[in-house]
Amino acid sequence: MERAQQGPRARYREQTRAEIKNLALRQLAEGGGGALALTRIAKEMGLSGPALYRYFASRDDLLSALIRDAYDDAAAAMARAAARSARGSRGGRARLHDLAAAYRAWAIAEPHRYLLIQGDPVPGYVAPADTLERARAVLGPFLPLFAAGKPGPAVAGTVEEMAAWLAADETVGAWVARYAPDAVGPDAEADEAGAAGTAVAAEPVGEADEAEAVGETRSGGVDRAAASALAGAVLAWTQLHGSVSLEVAGQFAGMAHRGGTLLGAHMELLAGAFGLE
């Protein structure tokens, strides 16, 4: 509807920007972020350099548009996978494997775009601040899985550090609340004050073995479910990033294992560490 209401000039501008981005993606596929050159794109399109700058002010402006698009597409793929996985009676462990498989599938299908957002930084480029929220949207579906977990001793230190992060940064609490509201909202088991992770007085609750594993139910005013959610999502990201990045970069060539098998083993160990069923 919005597109239909655009005038001819606006539609032409949108089409030209899309063509520029498609050519830029081809350059990325051929040589990575360092190969991106606006002059080459202008030449292929039959435009002058100054004409191209009417659509993107600089190389960094074009890079930022490509990075935003990549994060948004990856986040959409993860959201679709989460919705499919949530149907029926699949437990947290199975859903973790579903999300990891979806992350890997997107990366393999879009290797140059994946490496743009997860590979080596482009020299001299600084990503805009809004890409942080987009990156968090990719990982958001993992948060509710780990909020329901029972983290054990192996991840106790990480859970404690995530609790400190939640207490110190309201934006992190808001991120957890958006995807795992039961972990930090007013209906949470420990009656968390506010969806942004507002601190309240600690109330030690829970079985002795759970307290021994990760400390009391609330630590520094942060609900343990929220800290568990954040710790699990961060640990999932590090495992995904390591395994998938190596596979996308071709580092597994000549080895006998399949990338999916290796990633599945990582997720199974992580599920065990958080007691996912």
Side-chain angles (χ1 to χ4, degrees):
M1 183 67 178
E2 181 181 348
R3 183 178 175 84
Q5 292 175 346
Q6 290 180 335
R9 181 173 298 179
R11 287 197 299 272
Y12 176 76
R13 177 177 178 81
E14 184 180 311
Q15 291 166 2
T16 303
R17 281 176 60 89
E19 185 178 355
I20 292 169
K21 288 195 285 188
N22 284 335
L23 289 172
L25 287 173
R26 193 175 75 188
Q27 289 185 0
L28 290 175
E30 293 171 352
L36 187 61
L38 269 65
T39 53
R40 284 179 52 202
I41 294 173
K43 185 175 181 180
E44 287 193 50
M45 295 182 66
L47 296 174
S48 65
L52 190 69
Y53 288 113
R54 291 203 296 267
Y55 301 97
F56 292 97
S58 63
R59 181 208 67 164
D60 286 2
D61 187 29
L62 176 54
L63 267 175
S64 294
L66 296 175
I67 288 171
R68 290 185 180 105
D69 287 351
Y71 273 128
D72 289 349
D73 285 354
M78 296 303 295
R80 289 192 297 270
R84 288 193 302 268
S85 185
R87 300 185 189 124
S89 58
R90 293 176 69 76
R93 186 179 295 257
R95 291 169 65 186
L96 175 61
H97 283 286
D98 290 343
L99 292 181
Y103 184 96
R104 175 176 174 267
W106 185 85
I108 290 174
E110 304 277 359
H112 50 292
R113 300 179 75 200
Y114 172 81
L115 291 173
L116 178 64
I117 58 177
Q118 298 292 345
D120 294 334
V122 177
Y125 172 75
V126 177
D130 66 325
T131 56
L132 176 59
E133 285 303 311
R134 288 176 158 87
R136 286 176 174 175
V138 178
L139 296 178
F142 289 95
L143 290 165
L145 304 184
F146 292 102
K150 298 176 182 177
V155 294
T158 303
V159 173
E160 290 175 4
E161 290 174 359
M162 295 301 104
W165 189 19
L166 281 162
D169 190 337
E170 288 186 354
T171 68
V172 178
W175 172 40
V176 176
R178 189 176 308 123
Y179 291 92
D182 290 344
V184 295
D187 294 330
E189 182 181 5
D191 192 25
E192 179 68 19
T198 305
V200 299
E203 298 180 17
V205 178
E207 298 295 332
D209 58 337
E210 292 178 350
E212 182 180 353
V214 294
E216 297 174 348
T217 301
R218 300 178 62 74
S219 175
V222 174
D223 194 287
R224 189 173 62 189
S228 176
L230 188 57
V234 170
L235 286 167
W237 170 61
T238 61
Q239 297 297 318
L240 289 163
H241 177 68
S243 182
V244 173
S245 295
L246 286 170
E247 183 178 8
V248 170
Q251 295 299 314
F252 293 159
M255 301 177 72
H257 71 277
R258 294 165 50 206
T261 305
L262 183 63
L263 183 59
H266 282 304
M267 293 302 105
E268 191 64 20
L269 290 170
L270 187 59
F274 280 84
L276 301 186
E277 299 178 355

